[in-house]
Amino acid sequence: MDRHEWAARTLSVRPGDRVLEIGCGHGVTASHVCAELAAGPREAPPRFVGLDRSAKMTAAAGRRNAAHVAAGLAEFRTGPFPTPDLGAEPPFDVAYAFNVRLLWTDPAAARAVAGLLRPGGRLAVFFQLPAWSAAVHREVAARAARTLTAGGLAVAADGQDVAVESGYVTAVVPPG
């Protein structure tokens, strides 16, 4: 299992969830998440929106996920984060980012994500660092947790997988 599949499994999305990926890159993690969204019965149509600041990356993500795009499940947009376009969307159930430093360091970015999630919605911030170690994970996870908390989110968990040299911090939007 690679880090993209690991991240998608860690998210535990359910069929019918509305999911936002910030910094979708070439759409590898999106492929795994969309497969989970499309599987099984659902009460509402699932929705995946991938955002990246690079048109080259969103084009590659669209090609990689052409079947999901054609089915109306996925859409890939080019632009910065935060972007006002996302505010017109109904609230997301889950948002995630992989190696998007902004979400470990900028409480305003965390607040922007919180504003796009429904009450109880989850944000997962994944990271893979070149000099991976348990100490590095603890340092980055603590920094991400402080940033997410300062952004108005409630930190729920953090974890790591040494096999894929990656870690994460999850947070939820408090109710009400």
Side-chain angles (χ1 to χ4, degrees), residues 10-143:
T10 300
L11 285 172
S12 299
V13 297
R14 296 176 302 269
D17 276 350
R18 294 181 48 75
V19 180
L20 170 65
E21 181 178 9
I22 302 160
C24 65
H26 46 64
V28 177
T29 308
S31 297
H32 296 291
V33 171
C34 286
E36 293 293 323
L37 289 174
R42 51 190 175 266
E43 294 176 19
R47 180 89 167 113
F48 179 92
V49 176
L51 176 69
D52 200 284
R53 63 185 177 186
S54 166
K56 184 177 179 179
M57 290 290 102
T58 53
R63 285 190 303 273
R64 178 181 297 275
N65 292 282
H68 297 304
V69 172
L73 170 67
E75 175 184 357
F76 296 92
R77 299 182 188 177
T78 303
F81 183 83
T83 179
D85 292 353
L86 292 174
E89 290 279 338
F92 291 94
D93 300 295
V94 177
Y96 72 95
F98 211 123
N99 288 337
V100 177
R101 189 175 178 92
L102 185 68
L103 292 173
W104 326 338
T105 60
D106 185 354
R111 264 190 300 284
V113 176
L116 297 170
L117 291 166
R118 65 166 173 76
R122 298 176 288 127
L123 168 63
V125 177
F126 294 96
F127 42 88
Q128 182 182 40
L129 305 168
W132 189 259
S133 70
V136 169
H137 167 77
R138 283 191 302 276
E139 178 184 325
V140 174
R143 184 173 187 181

